[in-house]
Amino acid sequence: MAYLETLEKSLYSLVTETSTNLPKDVRRAIKAAKASENAGTRAAMTLDTITTNIVMAEDNVSPICQDTGLPTFKVYTPVGVNQIEIKKAIQTAIAAATGDAKLRPNSVDSLTGKNSGTNIGAGLPVVKFEQWENDYITVKLILKGGGCENKNIQYSLPTELEGLGRAGRDLDGIRKCILHSVWQAQGQGCSAGFIGVGIGGDRSSGYDLAKEQLFRHVEDTNPIEDLATLEDYIVKTANTFGVGTMGFGGEATLLGCKIGVMDRLPASFFVSVAYNCWAYRRMAIDIDPATGEITNWHYQEGEKITFKDEEKTEASSNNKVVELVAPISEEQIRSLNVGDVVKISGRMYTGRDAIHHHLIGEGVEAPVDLDGQIIYHCGPVMAKDEAGNWVVKAAGPTTSIREEPYQGDIMKKFGIRAVMGKGGMGPKTLKALGEHGGVYLNAIGGAAQYYADCIKSVDGVDLIEFGIPEAMWHLSVQDFTAVVTMDSHGNSLHADVEKSSLEKLAMHAERVF
C-alpha cells in the first residue's frame, strides 16, 4: 500500500510539473526566439507576454496553457513490474490533478459529447508500456493541446505540394513535406513551434514515431548524419518564412525539428508530422520500482532561464491602442483597423465549439443578450473557492478556425461585434465582418495565466451541461489586451502572412538533398 501511495504522489508531481513549469531546454529556445526579433514589433511584444506567462505559471503552480491536452504517457518498466498497478496509479493521479485545477477536464465522449470531468474516459489517458532491462521505471508525459494537435499532418509520397511541386520518395521529398508542414500550420498551432517527424511505418505507427521525437532534447543531435543535417536545415529555412510568433509575422517560426525513421511497406511512404506549440510541455521521471519514489527528473541539463526581471520591448509608435467596453457600437468597430491594439474592460462571454453548434440551431436563442458583445473563444480551467464561487485558473484563447462554418452567421444573428481567439479565421468570417460590422481580435495563444490575471470576476455561467471548457462563462475583465487582425474593411493579417509566407516557401522548391 505504501508503494502505491508513493507512486501516485510521484505521478501527481510529474503531472503538475509538466503542466505548470516549462523544461530548461524549451526555455532556452524561447529566449533565443526573443533575441531574434526586432524590438517594438508584434512578435517581440507577443514573446514578452509569453515569457511573462511562463513566470506566472511557475509562481502560481497553475497551467501554462488552459488546454492541458490529452495526457499521453510512455512508461518503461523492468521485467516483473506490475503494469496494471502503474496504469491505475496514473489514472488516480490524473483525476486528482484535474480536481486540483492542474489539468482542464478534456475527456469528452465522442458520441454523446459528455465531458467526464476527470480526464478519465474510454482510452484516456493514453498510456503506452515498454519493457526494458534497466532496473528502474521511467515515465514520460506530454501534454499536447488540441490547437497544435489539429495542425499535425501526414503525407503519402509521392505527392504534389502547394508552393513546392512534386515531392518524391527520397530525402528531398521528405524535406519538402516537412517545410510544407510548418507553413500550413501558420499561427494556428501557437507558433513558434516544435515539430516531431516520423518517416516510414504505416499511418498509425508513423504518427507514433513522430510524437516520440517530441521527447528528445531540443539541443540534441540526431545520430543519423543525413537526418541531423535535415533537422538543422528545416529550422533555419522555416525561420525565413516570416510566419512568426502567433502568425503575426517575424523571425521566429520554428524552434526545433526532430526526425525519426522506421521501415515501411513497399507500397507506402508516409511522412508524419506532429506539431507542438511554444508551450512545449513534456517531462519525464525515473522511479524506484521498490518504493515508488522519484529518483531523477529528466531535462535538467544546462541553464534554467527564469525570464524574471527581463526588460520588456516598447510598443511601436505605429500601434494605436483603443479601449473597448461592451456593448460596442458598429461605429466603434468600423473605426478599428488591422494592427490596432485593444484593451477590453467590462463584460465578455466565452463561447467555443459546443456553444457555436448550439446557437446556430433553428429557433435557438442565446442565454444572454449578445447584441454589441464580445465572444471569447476560450475553454478555461475553472475551480471553486472556499465559498463555492467559480474562479478562473487559466484562460488563454483557443484556435478560432474551427468556428469558421458558424461564426459569421452567429454574429449577424445575435448582433455580436467582436470575436476573440487565436490563429485567425477564414474568408466566410472576413466577409461577414464587413457586412455586419465586426472585428476579429487575436489574443496570445498559451498565455493562460496572463489572461486569467485580467479576469476580475466570474459573474455567471450558462450551458454548463456542455462541460467546463464548452460552457458560456460570464467574465468581468480589465485591460484584456488583444490585436485586431481582421477588420470590417476586408483586411486580414492572417491572409497576408499566409500569402507572403507561401511565396517564401516556394523559393525552396529546387532540389537540396
Side-chain angles (χ1 to χ4, degrees), residues 102-300:
K102 308 303 181 187
L103 298 175
R104 188 178 71 183
N106 276 349
S107 180
V108 177
D109 187 300
S110 297
L111 299 181
T112 67
K114 182 176 175 55
N115 192 312
S116 72
T118 61
N119 275 310
I120 308 298
L124 300 184
V126 175
V127 184
K128 298 178 181 180
F129 287 97
E130 188 171 321
Q131 283 191 333
W132 63 1
E133 294 183 354
N134 293 322
D135 62 358
Y136 57 89
I137 301 167
T138 290
V139 182
K140 299 179 178 181
L141 169 62
I142 187 165
L143 301 175
K144 189 172 181 296
C148 63
E149 182 70 13
N150 290 347
K151 300 314 296 183
N152 292 356
I153 191 167
Q154 191 172 66
Y155 303 89
S156 178
L157 297 180
T159 189
E160 290 282 335
L161 299 172
E162 187 174 7
L164 293 171
R166 184 183 302 114
R169 291 185 166 191
D170 55 20
L171 194 61
D172 203 67
I174 293 165
R175 172 190 71 88
K176 288 184 177 182
C177 290
I178 301 172
L179 287 180
H180 185 272
S181 76
V182 179
W183 172 78
Q184 63 87 34
Q186 291 291 303
Q188 293 174 12
C190 283
S191 56
F194 303 80
I195 55 173
V197 182
I199 302 169
D202 60 8
R203 288 199 179 273
S204 60
S205 61
Y207 265 133
D208 283 345
L209 180 63
K211 285 194 173 183
E212 182 68 27
Q213 304 314 300
L214 295 174
F215 283 116
R216 286 173 53 192
H217 286 256
V218 174
E219 297 148 343
D220 74 4
T221 300
N222 199 307
I224 301 173
E225 186 175 351
D226 283 347
L227 296 186
T229 301
L230 182 56
E231 288 174 355
D232 185 58
Y233 166 88
I234 292 293
V235 174
K236 290 179 179 177
T237 304
N239 285 329
T240 68
F241 291 172
V243 172
T245 305
M246 292 298 125
F248 288 168
E251 305 301 317
T253 296
L254 188 66
L255 303 184
C257 171
K258 302 298 172 185
I259 306 172
V261 63
M262 65 188 296
D263 284 5
R264 60 178 178 84
L265 287 165
S268 302
F269 198 124
F270 296 112
V271 178
S272 309
V273 182
Y275 188 97
N276 205 96
C277 58
W278 70 260
Y280 186 7
R281 293 157 292 170
R282 52 94 168 96
M283 183 49 67
I285 54 175
D286 297 333
I287 293 175
D288 185 328
T291 65
E293 294 178 344
I294 298 172
T295 59
N296 179 53
W297 288 87
H298 293 218
Y299 308 106
Q300 301 305 307

Side-chain angles (χ1 to χ4, degrees), residues 66 118 286 295 307 312 471 505:
Q66 78 290 337
T118 61
D286 297 333
T295 59
F307 296 114
K312 304 300 181 185
L505 173 72

Side-chain angles (χ1 to χ4, degrees), residues 407-418:
Q407 194 66 78
D409 295 333
I410 285 177
M411 292 184 78
K412 293 176 181 178
K413 179 178 178 180
F414 296 105
I416 297 163
R417 290 294 172 194

